[in-house]
Amino acid sequence: MNWQERTSSNLTFNSSSPNGEPLILPIKISIYSVVSVIGIVCNLQNLITIYHSPALRTLNNSLLIALGVNDFLTALIGIPLIILTSIVDGNILCNIQGTINSICNTYSLVLTFSISIDRCHAVMLPFSYLRQLKYSKYAFIIGSLSLTPLVSGVLPLLNLEKYGFGKYISSSSCWISLTVGHDNIVILCLVAFVSGALIVIVIACYVVLFFVAYEKRSVSQIDNSVCIRTSLRTVLLIVGTTVICWIPFVSLTVVNVIKFLVDGKPYLISRILTDIVLDLVVCNVALNPIIYMWTNSILRRSLEKTWRRIKCGNRVIPLPKPPTDIIENI
């Protein structure tokens, strides 16, 4: 199968614009490549800085660190697999890519949910939050949160289509078809309900935080507690971008499911829109590290130091000479 035939078989745009079709796959591969490189470099830079900075290796930062590790693995493994499956045919490769990306993307969402609950607890009940800061607590949370992504990733591999749990299919990337039918109605209902519920709870948490953060009593309690002084702005932006990236996907899935339940026949709003919302979820791995780096002074200084080191190479930069009047006084 030549490149043009492979490209056409992977396209989800309709045939009304044939002149643009051969360009779509290379463009998507280019975008995925840029996202992957940014995700790998920025997340790795952040993780190395956190490892060398005791001020950032705090318990209340542990969920953000776990999110950074997950985003790094998604950029390092998940996105290259998407690129590979868009070029190379193979059911086994498609299943591997679908499983890994399902696990990583779902884990990102549940970590976002946990970060929101954690911040809400820290702001509303700071003293209770401080008393419960334990390594065992966060180790249990991070470990137990992996169960939902594992289930969501493995179910389509079990050949349970007749029960409505779907299977991985190759489109622009390998995932469960969002064309709702009897073979995938159960798993898509679960995806729509669970993802929608998590997003609603996350939004509710930050509505609460918005009001509580402006109460003088709560703000003074937060300011006096060094452990809780994690930037709410950083968390809000990271969680906000994650929610923004997931809302179109959840909304599309909900509409498709409702339409199928009402009409009783397979339904998909738009294949083009489906590709866009799936790509948007993946692109989030490049946004989170940039936001974290931009809003955290330690990470920002580390990036500037790394950039100067790369720019100057092995050259020795002489220190500026002190003014002559200082030398004379000495």
Side-chain angles (χ1 to χ4, degrees), residues 26-86:
I27 290 173
K28 287 176 70 69
I29 290 175
S30 300
I31 293 173
Y32 275 129
S33 299
V34 171
V35 171
S36 180
V37 171
I38 293 174
I40 291 171
V41 173
C42 293
N43 279 298
L44 185 60
Q45 169 70 23
N46 287 352
L47 292 172
I48 291 173
T49 304
I50 291 170
Y51 177 78
H52 291 289
S53 303
L56 294 177
R57 293 199 314 269
T58 58
L59 282 176
N60 55 315
N61 267 347
S62 57
L63 294 175
L64 280 174
I65 296 171
L67 182 61
V69 173
N70 182 74
D71 287 345
F72 172 72
L73 293 176
T74 304
L76 181 66
I77 302 173
I79 297 179
L81 280 174
I82 293 177
I83 296 173
L84 185 60
T85 53
S86 66

Side-chain angles (χ1 to χ4, degrees), residues 155-156 160-169 175-192 253 256-257 260-261 265-268 274:
L155 271 177
L160 299 175
E161 298 100 300
K162 63 180 180 180
Y163 300 109
F165 288 100
K167 65 177 180 179
Y168 293 120
I169 64 168
W175 203 67
I176 303 164
S177 174
L178 290 184
T179 303
V180 184
H182 294 287
D183 61 332
N184 61 5
I185 180 62
V186 174
I187 195 165
L188 288 181
C189 282
L190 289 173
V191 168
T253 306
N256 288 341
V257 168
F260 171 77
L261 294 176
K265 57 183 180 180
Y267 180 79
L268 180 70
T274 299

Side-chain angles (χ1 to χ4, degrees), residues 155-294:
L155 271 177
L157 299 174
L158 302 179
N159 295 321
L160 299 175
E161 298 100 300
K162 63 180 180 180
Y163 300 109
F165 288 100
K167 65 177 180 179
Y168 293 120
I169 64 168
S170 178
S171 181
S172 60
S173 62
C174 290
W175 203 67
I176 303 164
S177 174
L178 290 184
T179 303
V180 184
H182 294 287
D183 61 332
N184 61 5
I185 180 62
V186 174
I187 195 165
L188 288 181
C189 282
L190 289 173
V191 168
F193 175 77
V194 174
S195 302
L198 292 180
I199 289 175
V200 169
I201 293 172
V202 168
I203 294 173
C205 284
Y206 282 95
V207 169
V208 172
L209 286 177
F210 177 80
F211 289 104
V212 173
Y214 283 94
E215 294 181 5
K216 292 183 179 180
R217 180 179 61 83
S218 296
V219 172
S220 64
Q221 289 174 350
I222 296 169
D223 290 339
N224 291 332
S225 302
V226 177
C227 293
I228 306 178
R229 211 159 22 182
T230 300
S231 174
L232 286 178
R233 181 181 64 171
T234 301
V235 176
L236 178 60
L237 288 172
I238 290 176
V239 170
T241 54
T242 302
V243 169
I244 290 171
C245 289
W246 272 87
I247 282 178
F249 167 76
V250 174
S251 302
L252 182 71
T253 306
V254 169
V255 171
N256 288 341
V257 168
I258 292 175
K259 187 69 175 175
F260 171 77
L261 294 176
V262 171
D263 295 343
K265 57 183 180 180
Y267 180 79
L268 180 70
I269 291 180
S270 167
R271 292 189 179 277
I272 299 176
L273 191 58
T274 299
D275 273 0
I276 293 173
V277 299
L278 288 174
D279 294 342
L280 193 60
V281 170
V282 175
C283 289
N284 190 52
V285 302
L287 297 176
N288 290 341
I290 294 174
I291 293 172
Y292 200 9
M293 195 179 294
W294 172 51

